Amino acid sequence: MQRAVAVSVSRGREAEFDDLVGPHLEAGYRTALAILRDPDEAHDAVQEAAFKAWRRLDQLRDGRSARAWFVAIVANQCRSTRRGRWWSVLRVPQVERGSSEIDASRTDLGRALARLHPDDRLPLFLHFYLDMPFEEVGDVLGLSAAGAKTRVYRAAKKLRPDLELTL
Amino acid sequence: MNDLRSEIRAEFEREQSAFPPPGHLRPRFVHAVSSQAQARPHVQLAAAFAVLLMAALIVAALVLARPALVPTTPAATPTATRDYGPPPAGVPLFYVGDPRHPGWYTGFDWNGVPRGTIKLTQPLGDASNLVQAPDGSGFFSSGKVPDDSGQTLDRLGKAQSSFPVPIGIRQLIWADDSRHLCSVAFQNGNLWLSWHVPSFSQNVTVVAKEPDPARGIGGDIGLVACSFQTDQRAILVRDYGLRPTEYWVVGLGDGRVRAHANVPVGIINVVGSSDGQYLAENASSAKATRIVELSTGNATEIDPSLSVLEFSGDDKTVVVTPGWSAGFPTVLEGIELATGKVLWRYDGGEELAAFPLAEPGGGSFELTLKQAGDQALHAPIHVLIEHADGTSTAVPGTFTRP
């Protein structure tokens, strides 16, 4: 796990921010993209999260994982973004709807992953894509390592209901 | 598991490769944030100064006006340990339990003012609940009080012997007029939809037969709405395999099916408006959550991450939560149906202890909230009234669920 390092207070704030948060901006962007699935919204969410991180930089000097700390801020910002855009209303004329479109280029698992609730996608993304250990996933989600493991397990079960996992 | 890990990773990589991070992401963001941070404090300082100035003006105005201030509402400092006397007739009330007096329930009006107390002659058992009529003018208790059948109570909390709970009852709900009860009950192998008022019951129609009691009726059929106020109709839903599969709109006068539809796969539950005019289909991740206007079939699709918990009494607002899948909702929003505007939002850290109660015919909701994670059967609750104008009223005190 990556840990924040003590920094000299004499260094400039921008350099300090670049040292601590800079390495994790790409992880933050990729996380935002995984949640929001829109590059423009992901860009805006990371920029806002970065600004919040700047203001809370002092919170990072307690030995926490800088990556988990920043990704957690990004995830929260993405939740706010999703709440803000929730009313993507589409008036449809009939009760019955046609079958949803299928992207033939995607695998079954890919389609299942695409349809997964963002709250389920996030732990999978953190653990399987960003290779975060459960302890760090827990830091992002506000859970214990055991709780994070359970969340990953449950999300994976939704992709493959018949799955027997030995995480 | 390693295969699954590889497959999931590959799918995420496929998604990510479509939108790679912008070039020079790190220096661009660091510079942008640094520039923003230097610019925003001026805005914040100006805003803070404006707030301080306004606060000072308000305090000055209140101090100057104080001698002339006259209370316009009763002092709302309930302790829930008082006896507020018999509840007034004709005033819509919602009830909460008095934690210090088992069997006592305090009725509050929709401004959060305590207006009356009902006292049961015998406190309900642990497994029982008191289910109030929408306006609080009647109750029925679930569970073993005084026996398996439960009982109905009048406005003052007195048992109504002339208003028996039907035998073979599967489900009983209040109609939106607070006068009728609607039920589904087994009688001689048939599942009847019926309605009841004191001293009279009317069987409406057989909604299912039970050819083989061991096999049941192929799922469970229940009521999600019953209306006598605007239109005599009920909404019945069949659940099968832990998900709703179809619903019917049935006229309570003639028993005719006015509408029938299958519920799309991917819907995890449905919620009806109290007048039976709307049905919310709450989706799993695969589908959009929809609000269907049953008379026209028109549907409004909303974000599938949101679940509708309740409609307002005037059908203009819905309470939604984005946190349904995580257990008890802790974040709630009141959304205006016509515009999608967020009228109010609760994100206070406590979790919902029961479904929101809608003000009859109005736009307010009563939220009963308990400490997150408290699984006690009679956990202490706090009460918040969220109004359609975006204001909220916190009812002072700690209570129990009725």
Side-chain angles (χ1 to χ4, degrees):
Chain A
M1 178 179 295
Q2 301 165 55
R3 295 283 177 188
V5 293
V7 293
S8 165
V9 292
S10 63
R11 297 183 63 190
R13 182 81 165 174
E14 184 173 326
E16 181 185 3
F17 180 81
D18 190 24
D19 275 354
L20 292 174
V21 180
H24 311 300
L25 284 167
E26 183 174 332
Y29 173 82
R30 291 190 179 281
T31 303
L33 190 62
I35 298 172
L36 298 170
R37 306 175 72 190
D38 180 296
D40 294 333
E41 286 190 344
H43 184 279
D44 291 348
V46 174
Q47 184 154 330
E48 190 60 30
F51 183 70
K52 287 177 178 170
W54 173 285
R55 290 165 60 185
R56 300 176 196 165
L57 209 53
D58 291 344
Q59 296 176 1
L60 193 52
R61 297 183 182 128
D62 61 358
R64 298 174 63 189
S65 157
R67 180 170 68 160
W69 175 79
F70 180 63
V71 169
I73 296 174
V74 170
N76 282 333
Q77 185 61 40
C78 291
R79 289 190 190 100
S80 297
T81 301
R82 280 177 45 227
R83 281 196 290 267
R85 74 171 188 193
W86 79 274
W87 193 258
S88 51
V89 174
L90 174 66
R91 296 273 173 187
V92 292
Q94 300 295 331
V95 172
E96 299 297 333
R97 292 199 306 165
S99 59
S100 57
E101 59 186 58
I102 296 173
D103 178 356
S105 68
R106 304 205 64 173
T107 63
D108 288 345
L109 185 129
R111 281 195 291 273
L113 195 62
R115 290 172 174 174
L116 211 55
H117 190 285
D119 288 347
D120 290 323
R121 283 171 58 86
L122 181 58
L124 292 178
F125 181 82
L126 299 176
H127 185 61
F128 291 128
Y129 185 80
L130 292 184
D131 289 325
M132 283 187 176
F134 290 123
E135 187 183 3
E136 204 175 349
V137 174
D139 280 349
V140 175
L141 301 179
L143 300 169
S144 64
K149 186 175 177 179
T150 302
R151 288 284 294 274
V152 170
Y153 178 90
R154 284 183 185 161
K157 285 285 281 184
K158 289 181 181 177
L159 295 177
R160 291 271 174 84
D162 57 344
L163 194 67
E164 292 293 333
L165 291 184
T166 52
L167 293 175
Chain B
M1 186 62 193
N2 284 335
D3 286 348
L4 183 66
R5 174 187 290 271
S6 303
E7 287 183 58
I8 292 173
R9 187 184 180 89
E11 285 304 328
F12 277 126
E13 276 173 355
R14 190 199 302 258
E15 282 185 6
Q16 293 279 330
S17 64
F19 303 106
H24 309 293
L25 178 141
R26 181 171 172 176
R28 280 177 54 194
F29 271 106
V30 171
H31 178 69
V33 169
S34 175
S35 305
Q36 253 188 327
Q38 288 166 24
R40 285 201 197 181
H42 299 297
V43 177
Q44 289 170 340
L45 282 175
F49 178 74
V51 167
L52 283 174
L53 184 62
M54 285 178 66
L57 288 171
I58 290 168
V59 169
L62 286 174
V63 168
L64 289 172
R66 191 171 181 178
L69 283 178
V70 177
T72 55
T73 56
T77 55
T79 61
T81 58
R82 276 182 53 190
D83 179 358
Y84 293 97
V91 179
L93 302 175
F94 62 82
Y95 282 83
V96 290
D98 181 337
R100 299 189 188 177
H101 296 95
W104 285 28
Y105 297 88
T106 307
F108 291 87
D109 67 22
W110 285 87
N111 293 313
V113 178
R115 301 295 296 271
T117 302
I118 62 166
K119 302 174 211 170
L120 306 190
T121 52
Q122 180 187 348
L124 299 178
D126 279 349
S128 297
N129 286 105
L130 196 66
V131 181
Q132 71 164 82
D135 66 0
S137 63
F139 308 85
F140 69 79
S141 64
S142 61
K144 297 180 178 295
V145 178
D147 50 42
D148 280 341
S149 62
Q151 64 181 171
T152 53
L153 310 171
D154 66 11
R155 175 176 61 85
L156 303 174
K158 300 285 185 289
Q160 288 188 290
S161 56
S162 64
F163 202 163
V165 174
I167 295 168
I169 189 79
R170 294 287 297 267
Q171 191 188 8
L172 189 68
I173 67 171
W174 284 101
D176 60 347
D177 65 351
S178 294
R179 183 167 170 262
H180 293 76
L181 283 163
C182 292
S183 70
V184 284
F186 270 116
Q187 296 172 26
N188 302 320
N190 294 324
L191 188 64
W192 279 91
L193 167 65
S194 308
W195 55 261
H196 317 268
V197 290
S199 303
F200 185 76
S201 288
Q202 176 68 56
N203 283 345
V204 177
T205 187
V206 173
V207 296
K209 292 182 182 295
E210 189 181 28
D212 177 357
R215 291 178 55 200
I217 54 172
D220 200 10
I221 294 180
L223 282 158
V224 296
C226 177
S227 175
F228 279 86
Q229 200 151 39
T230 52
D231 190 9
Q232 295 190 6
R233 58 164 59 187
I235 305 176
L236 291 151
V237 174
R238 181 199 291 270
D239 282 298
Y240 194 80
L242 298 178
R243 77 171 191 88
T245 55
E246 56 189 318
Y247 63 84
W248 301 263
V249 180
V250 179
L252 288 166
D254 55 13
R256 294 184 64 175
V257 175
R258 298 185 187 177
H260 170 246
N262 293 320
V263 178
V265 174
I267 300 301
I268 52 176
N269 67 6
V270 296
V271 175
S273 64
S274 61
D275 59 5
Q277 301 294 320
Y278 293 90
L279 191 76
E281 299 175 348
N282 290 319
S284 63
S285 55
K287 292 275 183 181
T289 287
R290 304 193 311 162
I291 296 171
V292 182
E293 187 177 2
L294 294 169
S295 58
T296 63
N298 288 342
T300 301
E301 292 193 353
I302 63 176
D303 190 322
S305 67
L306 295 163
S307 291
V308 175
L309 298 180
E310 187 60 282
F311 288 82
S312 64
D314 58 10
D315 284 349
K316 291 180 179 174
T317 312
V318 287
V319 179
V320 299
T321 179
W324 183 260
S325 61
F328 292 98
T330 55
V331 178
L332 302 159
E333 287 177 347
I335 306 294
E336 189 174 53
L337 269 173
T339 63
K341 182 181 171 190
V342 178
L343 302 177
W344 53 264
R345 175 178 169 78
Y346 172 78
D347 193 1
E350 290 196 303
E351 65 186 24
L352 206 57
F355 272 73
L357 184 71
E359 177 189 19
S364 299
F365 293 92
E366 178 221 11
L367 306 181
T368 54
L369 303 157
K370 65 185 173 73
Q371 187 178 0
D374 190 341
Q375 302 296 322
L377 201 57
H378 297 290
I381 60 164
H382 299 107
V383 175
L384 201 59
I385 308 170
E386 298 286 1
H387 304 285
D389 63 2
T391 62
S392 63
T393 304
V395 177
T398 302
F399 311 97
T400 57
R401 276 183 60 189

